[in-house]
Amino acid sequence: MGFRMPAVSLPEFAHVIGESAETAGTGETFAHVYPASGEVTREIRLAGADDVDRAVAAARAAHPAWRAMPGDKRRDLMLRLASVIEERAAEMSPLLSAENGSILLAGPHMSADAAQKFRYFGGWADKLEGRTVPTWGGPAHDYVSYEPFGTIGIIVPWNGPFFAATMVMAPALAAGNCVVLKAPENAPWSIMKLLELIRLAGFPPGVVNLVTGGPDVGAAMVEHPGIDKIEFIGSGATAKRILASAAQSLKPVGLELGGKSAVLVFADTNLQQAAKRGLSGAVSANGQGCVNGTRLLVERAIYEPYVEMLKAMAAHVKVGDPFAMDTIMGPIISETALDRIHGMVTRGAAEGGRIVCGGERMGGDHAGGAFYPITVLADVGHGSEIARNEVFGPVLVVTPFDSEEEAVMLANDSDYGLGAYIHTTDLTRAHRVAGQMMAGQVQVNGSGEAMTPCVPFGGMKHSGHGRLGGIEGLREFQQVRNVWINLQ
Ligand code: NAD
């Protein structure tokens, strides 16, 4: 029977279009499932294409006033939203767990992080300066200004919808854009709550609009001529469909996609710290985090002790009821995802991977929920399916290396390029290796701490393009205008 969900007050409004908060859209009915027990939490009437039309119209109607609002006023609204998010964190946390089985323990951090995003980008809203350019040729005055696109369509995945949505919304709004946001139907509650908080903070109607739905709603957004840019966070397979569709209208698309991030563990490292941080690649976001370090490359001199330490530490991670405060890891999002993960693990073992721990779905109290244990596969061949593809589950693969050059080669020999983690106590090596990583974010002796709103986050290669966070994140939602004035 798994772990039943306690009583949680789920938000009512699945769609917020201009002034109107609505419980039912014109699309199909979807039964949301709580993955720790398989029980249906509530049925939702999803959005249809005409709801997307209305949301886009509302955003476009709100845009002239939002764009013209002085930066200090936009900043103050964003700072107020940050405070409201913090004040209501206790209401948000259970929704984060109810929507996808995230652990309750992580909830306060998620709200604090969202508040920081609105503070950080609120701080940019009153500093959207341009620049002047000394001209060539005859006397002229030339300046560059940074303009909003208009309406940004935001499509996010189920694994961290609140995190992903706020990561995009904060810079998009600060830059003066309005937003049409799609909440994923299989993890909708936190974003629905966020829309309530946006209202409470006093944002003008239409600046942020919400439609809840699945792929058809996302596709309608991409096709919609009234949406000026799409920011997509999700899988590479969906990104290809979105790019093909956006090609028809030449619509710009920002992509934050998946990864198979390498963790390079050198023999000079603090073994215990490196193992703890290495394990977090399986545990973080219930093993379903895009930038989790899931491909461990370990120097041969410490290979066996490292693998043994991973196994010992994994045994201490409590997997189970997301609402229990001592739970460190919750369920997989669905039975389908669990079957996919198990299939990859089974094939990984058949290809020569040694299962050090895990490898079978969890039974006993966990049966009935979609629970898969931390699974470590050692001696995994670099060319095997499980070494090269994103598993999106609590699965680590471990491969030995003999030299720094080999470690760099193995790390970079991947279709993906989202994160890279380096564990060493040698500062010179840290810089040398970091400088060779083909990844958008490199962390030395870290395991996720870098992901704050003030730094750019995003991928190289199949992990996407564009950045969220930092000034680079703001620029994603601005277009550049150059003005030249003849002074002759
Ligand atoms: P997904 O691509 O299946 O779905 C993502 C979103 O796209 C959902 O909201 C879905 O409804 C929508 N969608 C599906 N088909 C669409 C279409 N044809 N047109 C428009 N929208 C469409 O991905 P998922 O399974 O929900 O999420 C897991 C993936 O997301 C993983 O690959 C993970 O690594 C990635 N991810 C990346 C980041 C990042 O910041 N780089 C963050 C979180 C997750």
Side-chain angles (χ1 to χ4, degrees), residues 64-80 118-129 170 173-177 203 474 478:
W66 180 245
R67 174 191 187 147
M69 183 183 278
D72 60 329
K73 299 282 181 299
R74 218 155 53 216
R75 174 203 66 201
D76 288 350
L77 272 173
M78 293 184 69
L79 297 183
R80 200 172 312 144
F118 286 106
R119 289 217 171 86
Y120 175 81
F121 283 104
W124 275 118
D126 61 359
K127 301 174 192 70
L128 303 179
E129 297 155 359
L173 293 173
N177 298 284
F203 275 64
L474 184 74
Q478 295 180 312

Side-chain angles (χ1 to χ4, degrees), residues 155-160 164 167 182-186 213-220 222 232-239 241-242 256-259 288-291 390 392 418 451 457-458 463 468:
I155 302 174
V156 298
W158 50 263
N159 69 321
M167 189 168 166
K182 180 178 93 64
E185 80 285 33
N186 52 350
D216 58 320
V217 177
V222 177
F232 172 72
I233 305 184
S235 67
T238 304
R241 285 193 280 277
I242 288 178
E256 294 282 342
L257 310 177
Q288 302 162 112
C290 56
V291 73
E390 185 179 44
F392 225 52
L418 194 54
M451 274 204 76
F457 176 76
S463 293
L468 296 170

Side-chain angles (χ1 to χ4, degrees), residues 1-5 33-40 322 331 366-371:
M1 74 182 208
F3 301 90
R4 291 189 70 79
M5 194 176 94
V33 170
Y34 176 58
S37 63
E39 69 201 283
V40 171
H366 297 76
F371 285 95

Side-chain angles (χ1 to χ4, degrees), residues 134-140 484 488:
T135 54
W136 296 358
W484 181 91
Q488 199 95 45

Side-chain angles (χ1 to χ4, degrees), residues 36-61:
S37 63
E39 69 201 283
V40 171
T41 59
R42 186 201 285 167
E43 293 197 337
I44 311 166
R45 280 282 307 280
L46 301 178
D50 43 348
D51 297 314
V52 172
D53 270 347
R54 291 167 52 232
V56 173
R60 294 189 79 82

Side-chain angles (χ1 to χ4, degrees), residues 103-340:
I103 55 168
L104 195 63
L105 200 60
H109 169 73
M110 287 295 152
S111 286
D113 167 80
Q116 288 291 44
K117 287 169 179 153
F118 286 106
R119 289 217 171 86
Y120 175 81
F121 283 104
W124 275 118
D126 61 359
K127 301 174 192 70
L128 303 179
E129 297 155 359
R131 65 191 178 99
T132 59
V133 184
T135 54
W136 296 358
H141 177 63
D142 190 292
Y143 61 91
V144 176
S145 65
Y146 296 94
E147 306 294 330
F149 278 86
T151 299
I152 306 292
I154 305 177
I155 302 174
V156 298
W158 50 263
N159 69 321
F162 181 56
F163 186 89
T166 51
M167 189 168 166
V168 183
M169 275 171 57
L173 293 173
N177 298 284
C178 291
V179 160
V180 174
L181 168 64
K182 180 178 93 64
E185 80 285 33
N186 52 350
W189 310 125
S190 62
I191 291 184
M192 285 163 61
K193 185 74 184 178
L194 176 63
L195 265 284
E196 281 178 36
L197 305 185
I198 287 170
R199 282 202 151 189
L200 275 177
F203 275 64
V207 170
V208 180
N209 303 278
L210 169 67
V211 285
T212 298
D216 58 320
V217 177
M221 288 167 63
V222 177
E223 283 164 22
H224 204 291
I227 290 188
D228 300 292
K229 179 172 183 178
I230 290 284
E231 184 65 34
F232 172 72
I233 305 184
S235 67
T238 304
K240 287 178 188 172
R241 285 193 280 277
I242 288 178
L243 287 180
S245 168
Q248 302 310 311
S249 58
L250 301 176
K251 186 173 292 179
V253 180
L255 298 176
E256 294 282 342
L257 310 177
K260 188 78 188 178
S261 300
V263 183
L264 292 76
V265 185
F266 289 95
D268 62 40
T269 192
N270 175 325
L271 193 64
Q272 198 170 10
Q273 283 300 319
K276 193 172 158 203
R277 291 174 184 282
L279 196 68
S280 76
V283 174
S284 181
N286 299 345
Q288 302 162 112
C290 56
V291 73
N292 285 18
T294 51
R295 195 162 52 98
L296 309 188
L297 306 170
V298 184
E299 194 161 1
R300 203 175 296 276
I302 56 162
Y303 183 74
E304 282 305 333
Y306 186 84
V307 169
E308 280 308 307
M309 202 169 278
L310 280 179
K311 180 182 177 183
M313 285 181 174
H316 285 98
V317 174
K318 186 168 174 220
V319 182
D321 181 359
F323 281 87
M325 287 311 278
D326 57 347
T327 298
I328 303 297
M329 200 173 98
I332 301 303
I333 187 67
S334 67
E335 289 292 331
T336 312
L338 189 147
D339 288 345
R340 182 184 47 74

